[in-house]
Structures are given as structure tokens and as C-alpha cells.
Amino acid sequence: MSAEKAKYRLEIQQMMFVSGETGEPSHSTTLLIEEIVRSQVIEMLLQCTQLAHRRGSRTISTDDLIFLIRHDRAKVSRLRTYLSWKDVRKTAKENDKEGGGDPTDLLDDPTTTAAAAAGGGAGGVSAVDAVGKRQKKSKIGLPWEVSSYFSEQVPEREDDEDEDEVEANFATLQRLKNADERTRGMTKDEYVHWSECRQASFTFRKGKRFREWAGFGTVTEAKPNDDIVDILGFLTFEIVQTLTEEALRVKEAEEKVKAQSGAGLGGRKRKRERGLFAGEEERTPVEARHVEEAFRRLQAARPKVRAMRNFGGGGGRTRLGLV
């Protein structure tokens, strides 16, 4: 991909900055990441089209797209949470258009008032909390889950969390912890810039550009709906974040090996002494070779795949793996 065809250099830089890359990556690095993301999107669309043909349908659905990442339970749970809150926002907008979005109506509702009165006190349920329960996000069901096999569903409890949610919460807390460490020493202006970079997206208000970039008319026969585009926008951010985090680990391991090899020379090279008022050493950005090695590691066959081939070698796995 040439520099003229690059359409998401700024967005990729912002996503890499949020993922921990403080330096400014080169054009070759962002071009390589954009090409990897584009190949991943095309592969997902091709596999979704095959799944749709097996169902006897010409159009792909959101279930086809989620089915491709079903083994990553944490990512699936984050995606379901994203779709649930998207449905909440859509419902709220529809209520506002119909004139039923006034929060005072909910506060004046007898059920809301009764719930607030029953939980009165410091540890009780306030009226705002009762309103929040009325507007609780819905749970996105998947057709391959065991619960979908039965016509009768067990009522869910509010404090009930499945294994996927627990795993997703652990991964989310880990990312929040990393984000807190990155932003701990930032100034106000730096944090505002970091917050703006968190909103970077391939698809938000760029639907037409994304459809042309991903080749929707060429890869798929039917035109995917807005939900498919939104899910792909979520997954593309995840791909860039995963690539950046893995590339940073590759770069850190490379620097550690260089430091150990330099220390093993017997002190021939003397480290330059820094002055009292010298600033921090400038951090070198991730290079294209780090991204290539990170992508190679992410494409490595997983133990479950090797076990299905009876731990044999050969080129049994030729399909591009999804990051």
C-alpha cells in the first residue's frame, strides 16, 4: 500500500498512542498496520460470506461476524457489551424523538417512586438508580449458546455474571490499569489529547470511506448494514491495540537483549554520563520489523490447533488467522 492510498494514518497513530506507543511511528509502520488491518477485515468478510451461504442467505449477519471470534471469550463479551449500550442509546434517541424521553416522567412513575421509597436511606435505592434500572441494557443472545437450545429461559439475576463476563472484566481492569499508569504523569493538556485519541475509529462518521477501503462491493455481494460496520469498527480498534501491545513487547525484548550483550563486552563501551539537568532519554518508536514479528507471533498455531493435527508439522494451517 502506497502513501497515497493510506486513508487511516492519523487514526492508527492515535490508536497506537492510546495503546502505549508514546513515540511518533514512521510512515512505513502505520502503512504496515493499515495493510494488516485491511487484510483482516477482508478475511472476516470472506469467512462471514461463507457462513451466510451455509445458512442459505446472501447477506451476512452480526452473528456470523461474532462467530468468527467466539474462541476469544473476553473480546466477545466486550463486543456484546458494546452492542448492548449501542441499543440503549438507540432506544433513548427514539424515545426523545417520540417525546417520551423526559426523565421527569420516569421520576413521576409510581413504580419508580415506590422503588426509591422502599430503598430510602443512605444504603437504599435512589430515584436516579431506579431510573437506571428501567433503562438497563439488554443482553445480546447468541444462537450457538446452550441457553438458545431451549424455548424456556431461566430468569437472570442482576448480580449474576457468567465466566465470559468475569474474564472480560479481568481483561478490562488490566487495560484500565495500564491506561492509568500511562496517564499518571500527564499534564491536563496531554490528558485531553489522550482522551481525544481514545475516540479514534475507522468507521465513526467515516462509513463511506470504510466501505470503499474494505471493498464491500467486491468482497461481499450484498451491502452490509450499519451494525456490521459498527462491529468491524470495534474489531479494527482491537486489532490495532493488540498489534501495538505485542509490538511493544517485541521491542522491549529486543532492547533487553541488546543491553545484555552490551553488558557482556566486559565494560569496553562506557556509558555516557548524563548531566544534572539532562532530560529523559527520547524513546524510539515501534518500527515495522517489530510489527512484523508481532503479527508473526499472533499468527502462530495455538496448542488446540496443533492437537487437532496430532501435533504434526507441515502446512496444515494456511488460512489467515484473525488477530
Side-chain angles (χ1 to χ4, degrees), residues 178-320:
N178 297 336
D180 181 67
E181 293 177 354
R182 294 165 189 161
T183 58
R184 185 171 299 173
M186 288 185 179
T187 62
K188 180 180 178 180
D189 296 337
E190 291 174 347
Y191 186 78
V192 169
H193 174 66
W194 188 83
S195 301
E196 293 176 353
C197 292
R198 289 188 67 182
Q199 302 176 8
S201 172
F202 280 77
T203 59
F204 182 67
R205 296 180 179 177
K206 309 180 188 72
K208 183 178 180 181
R209 189 207 308 183
F210 182 80
R211 286 182 170 87
E212 296 176 354
W213 176 75
F216 276 11
T218 306
V219 179
T220 58
E221 298 178 1
K223 181 180 178 182
N225 54 26
D226 295 336
D227 292 335
I228 298 293
V229 176
D230 292 337
I231 293 177
L232 288 175
F234 175 87
L235 295 178
T236 48
F237 186 92
E238 292 273 341
I239 293 172
V240 175
Q241 190 172 28
T242 304
L243 279 173
T244 304
E245 293 174 350
E246 188 66 28
L248 288 172
R249 284 191 284 266
V250 172
K251 179 174 173 289
E252 183 180 358
E254 181 184 88
E255 293 176 349
K256 187 180 296 184
V257 171
K258 288 183 179 180
Q260 293 177 354
S261 61
L265 296 177
R268 295 180 184 177
K269 295 183 178 180
R270 183 180 178 184
K271 188 176 180 180
R272 182 189 302 177
E273 296 182 358
R274 299 176 62 191
L276 179 62
F277 298 100
E280 296 183 359
E281 294 182 1
E282 185 177 357
R283 180 177 176 181
T284 57
V286 169
E287 298 181 7
R289 68 176 188 274
H290 301 137
V291 178
E292 291 176 354
E293 175 62 20
F295 185 65
R296 187 195 67 80
R297 293 183 180 183
L298 294 172
Q299 289 292 307
R302 294 167 177 79
K304 183 182 295 186
V305 178
R306 293 177 58 194
M308 294 297 291
R309 296 207 311 264
N310 199 18
F311 297 96
R317 185 174 183 270
T318 57
R319 174 176 288 182
L320 179 66

Side-chain angles (χ1 to χ4, degrees), residues 65-105:
L65 199 52
I66 301 176
F67 184 77
L68 301 179
I69 60 172
R70 64 192 183 279
H71 298 301
D72 193 343
R73 298 191 300 175
K75 184 182 293 186
V76 171
S77 181
R78 290 195 299 270
L79 179 56
R80 292 170 71 173
T81 304
Y82 168 77
L83 294 176
S84 299
W85 286 115
K86 177 188 173 184
D87 183 63
V88 170
R89 291 193 296 268
K90 182 179 179 181
T91 305
K93 290 181 180 179
E94 291 178 355
N95 293 336
D96 291 340
K97 291 181 180 179
E98 295 175 359
D102 190 0
T104 57
D105 296 339

Side-chain angles (χ1 to χ4, degrees), residues 1-12 27-35 38 202 209 213:
M1 181 182 293
S2 60
E4 291 79 8
K5 295 183 180 180
K7 297 184 178 180
Y8 293 101
R9 170 172 168 77
L10 178 61
E11 288 80 359
I12 291 175
H27 287 272
S28 59
T29 303
T30 55
L31 285 174
L32 178 60
I33 292 180
E34 183 172 345
E35 183 63 28
R38 185 170 181 268
F202 280 77
R209 189 207 308 183
W213 176 75

